[in-house]
Amino acid sequence: MATECKKRAVLVGCNYPNTINELSGCVNDVKAMREMIVSRFGFDSENVELLTDEPESTYKPTRANIMAELKKMAVEAKEGDVLLFHFSGHGLVQRIDPHQPPNEGEAIVPCDLNPIFDVDLGQLIQQLPSGSSFTMISDSCHSGGMIDKSKEQIGPHSTLRGIAPPVDYKTRGISIETLYQCLQTAANVVSATQSFLDTTAVANAINTGTDNMTGIGSLLTTIFGNNVSLKFLPHYERDFLNLRSLREDEGILLSGCQANELSIDMRASDKTEGKAFGAFTYTVLKVIKESNGALTNRQLVVKARNEIINLGFGQQHPCLYCSDENADAAFLGHQSNTTTGA
């Protein structure tokens, strides 16, 4: 007897409240996405894990908690399962100018500022059983490339520099310099109040600097120990994991913008029905609500691009990275739900 396929999701919204990195629409993004995938795509709410950094939340979207939920989803996955990871929050801005050296990997930034890099997601994806599907929606700056080796289906096809957004809108990106400064402050505070963090180790990490991410890695490992990205572990530890490059059919990435662009965090307005949202998430949800049936991944991203232009954000271009087959497959293996409607 065939095993019933399941749909599972991990939805993460980071607004970084009361910090210099504060955003407005990320929590609304993932709450709206949860409602959508349950009502339209056949997800059981018990198989949808929501992590937000709202003050009342008891399970914050730290790197450790996000990775724990993703690993749980990967371990429990069976052939035929449909898996979704939606992240709304800051991306790590390493490079905008294409004439600078290449990026050292794309990253998203949890609420504790301990980044999750493409290599971390790659390790998870390659553990998934054959026949399962993994879709990531990344509504963050510089989010193209979060799934390694995925084929560009809808992308920039150019090296144009990202255009600055309107001055009255925030963007979802943290620079290396800002991340370094925030981690330095955190390390000093923790070392002054907690005995487990040695002040000499903190000073050494700070003195390492930010060149080629070395300083970031030193501060992260000083604060979090081994609970950091694989890219900051010693080479022998990474080699032990026997990591490989992903195939283009392993993973589907819907990114809010090109790798050299910024994603808009929209404040509450008449455009967004009085709520703050990410421009990409808002348009994805709008397209789905207005569709009469299943949309392919390609159709969804093309329509979302057009909707973002209608909002007045022509400088942000959502992208799709996946195999040819997955590009023309139904988004989240669409399953019509006639009882709840759109």
Side-chain angles (χ1 to χ4, degrees):
M1 182 177 179
T3 303
E4 182 182 358
C5 299
K6 288 187 177 180
K7 296 188 174 185
R8 310 168 190 268
V10 175
L11 313 178
V12 178
C14 296
N15 276 340
Y16 318 90
N18 304 313
T19 72
I20 62 171
N21 305 307
E22 185 166 7
L23 297 171
S24 301
C26 302
V27 172
N28 288 338
D29 283 352
V30 293
K31 286 186 174 180
M33 183 58 70
R34 177 180 59 181
E35 181 179 344
M36 176 63 72
I37 63 176
V38 170
S39 65
R40 284 285 296 268
F41 292 91
F43 282 72
D44 187 326
S45 59
E46 293 185 358
N47 293 325
V48 177
E49 190 65 45
L50 183 73
L51 288 81
T52 69
D53 58 0
E54 296 168 286
E56 64 271 21
S57 173
T58 58
Y59 191 47
K60 303 292 187 187
T62 63
R63 182 186 195 281
N65 288 343
I66 295 171
M67 293 303 296
E69 291 303 326
L70 290 175
K71 288 176 182 177
K72 178 183 176 184
M73 184 166 68
V75 168
E76 294 180 352
K78 301 290 190 288
E79 179 180 356
D81 284 1
V82 175
L83 313 177
L84 170 66
F85 174 39
H86 181 163
F87 178 84
S88 282
H90 281 302
L92 185 58
V93 179
Q94 300 186 58
R95 177 181 70 115
I96 295 181
D97 189 337
H99 300 295
Q100 291 181 3
N103 282 357
E104 297 183 46
E106 311 294 340
I108 53 177
V109 185
C111 70
D112 60 351
L113 306 184
N114 189 358
I116 297 172
F117 281 82
D118 51 0
V119 65
D120 304 311
L121 292 181
Q123 184 199 20
L124 281 168
I125 293 171
Q126 64 182 253
Q127 298 175 28
L128 295 174
S130 176
S132 62
S133 70
F134 180 92
T135 298
M136 179 178 182
I137 299 174
S138 183
D139 196 346
S140 57
C141 289
H142 300 257
S143 49
M146 274 302 299
I147 297 182
D148 180 42
K149 301 299 182 185
S150 290
K151 181 178 180 180
E152 177 189 288
Q153 296 288 342
I154 302 172
H157 299 294
S158 71
T159 55
L160 295 176
R161 180 169 179 162
I163 304 171
V167 294
D168 55 345
Y169 284 93
K170 287 186 176 181
T171 57
R172 294 182 170 185
I174 296 178
S175 69
I176 287 180
E177 292 75 19
T178 298
L179 178 61
Y180 179 82
Q181 292 166 6
C182 292
L183 290 173
Q184 178 180 338
T185 300
N188 285 327
V189 170
V190 174
S191 65
T193 57
Q194 305 290 336
S195 59
F196 73 88
L197 201 57
D198 183 80
T199 55
T200 302
V202 171
N204 290 338
I206 291 173
N207 290 333
T208 303
T210 61
D211 183 48
N212 293 324
M213 296 288 288
T214 304
I216 299 290
S218 296
L219 280 170
L220 288 170
T221 52
T222 299
I223 298 170
F224 298 103
N226 284 334
N227 182 25
V228 295
S229 171
L230 294 172
K231 77 179 275 94
F232 297 125
L233 296 180
H235 283 289
Y236 71 88
E237 292 190 29
R238 282 180 280 175
D239 293 342
F240 178 76
L241 294 171
N242 194 28
L243 299 175
R244 61 170 173 80
S245 294
L246 296 177
R247 302 186 306 273
E248 68 178 35
D249 63 343
E250 291 182 289
I252 303 165
L253 172 63
L254 286 71
S255 64
C257 62
Q258 297 173 185
N260 64 332
E261 289 183 336
L262 305 173
S263 285
I264 300 296
D265 188 63
M266 300 191 301
R267 65 182 183 276
S269 70
D270 292 341
K271 289 183 178 180
T272 59
E273 302 170 13
K275 289 185 177 182
F277 282 101
F280 181 51
T281 300
Y282 178 79
T283 55
V284 164
L285 293 170
K286 184 175 187 291
V287 168
I288 294 171
K289 287 177 182 177
E290 294 177 354
S291 67
N292 294 322
L295 291 164
T296 67
N297 290 301
R298 190 192 306 275
Q299 289 171 331
L300 179 56
V301 174
V302 168
K303 290 176 180 290
R305 273 195 170 199
N306 292 334
E307 288 293 339
I308 281 184
I309 292 173
N310 292 338
L311 286 173
F313 303 130
Q315 72 284 343
Q316 179 178 340
H317 301 89
C319 298
L320 173 65
Y321 301 90
C322 62
S323 66
D324 295 337
E325 181 180 356
N326 284 332
D328 296 317
F331 174 66
L332 298 181
H334 177 80
Q335 176 179 321
S336 179
N337 190 327
T338 58
T339 58
T340 55

